[in-house]
Amino acid sequence: MTPSIVGWLALAPMGLLLLASVWTDVKGGRIPNQFVFSGLVLGILFNTILPEGLGFASSLPGGLGLWRASAGAAIGLAVMLPLYLLRAMGAGDVKLMAMVGAFLGPEDIIGAVLCSFITGGVLSLGYAWKIGVLRRMLQNIKIIVYSSAVKIAGGNPPLLDDAPETAGKFPYAVAIAVGTLGYLVWKSA
């Protein structure tokens, strides 16, 4: 079912903050904390003070409450944090997904994360091809997988720093924004 105009209006600040984060990530390789923290506060605030519903992206739009908004933020953070710890993602990307979770809540953040991962994979391949490093990227993936398997077998934690030469840095805010907004459009169809 299609969410009402109220639901879309409550999600508009998230969309604007996602677009601003994409801009700064593409231009400067960083996502400002002021974007993610103000979005985190707004997401939790909207879910707390607006009339109760099933979430802003639902057929019965409304706030999820403080705990469910906080749970959405925690899930967004928890799902992305291992990638940061493996050095596969920046801290700003992790915080950005937590912000999205504060708006969407615990159920919808899972769909947004999955769509962001799919989008990120496709966009990363396209980006690597465009800048001429696709072969190097695929070789790095092979080395990382083999090296990680050896480390795990030896009882050590894997790190994604075993690639001999980086294939480039992809602004992952693009994948988070496209994946999240794509998920919301798909869900409303």
Side-chain angles (χ1 to χ4, degrees):
M1 296 210 169
T2 305
S4 74
I5 191 74
V6 174
W8 288 116
L9 287 175
L11 290 173
M14 179 191 73
L16 292 173
L17 287 166
L18 283 171
L19 293 176
S21 296
V22 165
W23 177 262
T24 60
D25 198 16
V26 168
K27 290 293 183 187
R30 296 187 48 85
I31 300 170
N33 283 335
Q34 64 196 36
F35 291 175
V36 292
F37 290 133
S38 62
L40 189 67
V41 168
L42 282 175
I44 291 173
L45 184 66
F46 286 178
N47 271 302
T48 303
I49 65 170
L50 291 176
E52 186 176 346
L54 300 176
F56 303 126
S58 71
S59 59
L60 180 61
L64 295 169
L66 173 66
W67 296 112
R68 298 201 55 212
S70 298
I75 290 169
L77 182 78
V79 169
M80 302 297 257
L81 190 58
L83 294 171
Y84 169 74
L85 295 174
L86 291 170
R87 299 183 187 138
M89 180 173 291
D93 303 318
V94 176
K95 293 180 279 187
L96 188 62
M97 192 54 80
M99 179 202 78
V100 170
F103 277 94
L104 298 184
E107 289 84 17
D108 284 331
I109 189 61
I110 299 298
V113 166
L114 291 174
C115 286
S116 295
F117 283 162
I118 292 167
T119 302
V122 171
L123 290 176
S124 292
L125 289 172
Y127 180 73
W129 178 73
K130 180 182 183 243
I131 65 172
V133 296
L134 181 60
R135 181 174 295 210
R136 185 179 332 143
M137 183 181 101
L138 296 174
Q139 182 66 26
N140 285 351
I141 291 170
K142 182 175 135 183
I143 290 169
I144 289 169
V145 168
Y146 289 156
S147 174
S148 295
V150 169
K151 285 183 178 181
I152 290 170
N156 296 316
L159 293 176
L160 297 183
D161 59 356
D162 293 329
E165 182 181 348
T166 184
K169 194 172 177 189
F170 175 71
Y172 207 77
V174 175
I176 293 172
V178 172
T180 298
L181 298 175
Y183 169 75
L184 292 173
V185 168
W186 172 77
K187 184 177 177 183
S188 70

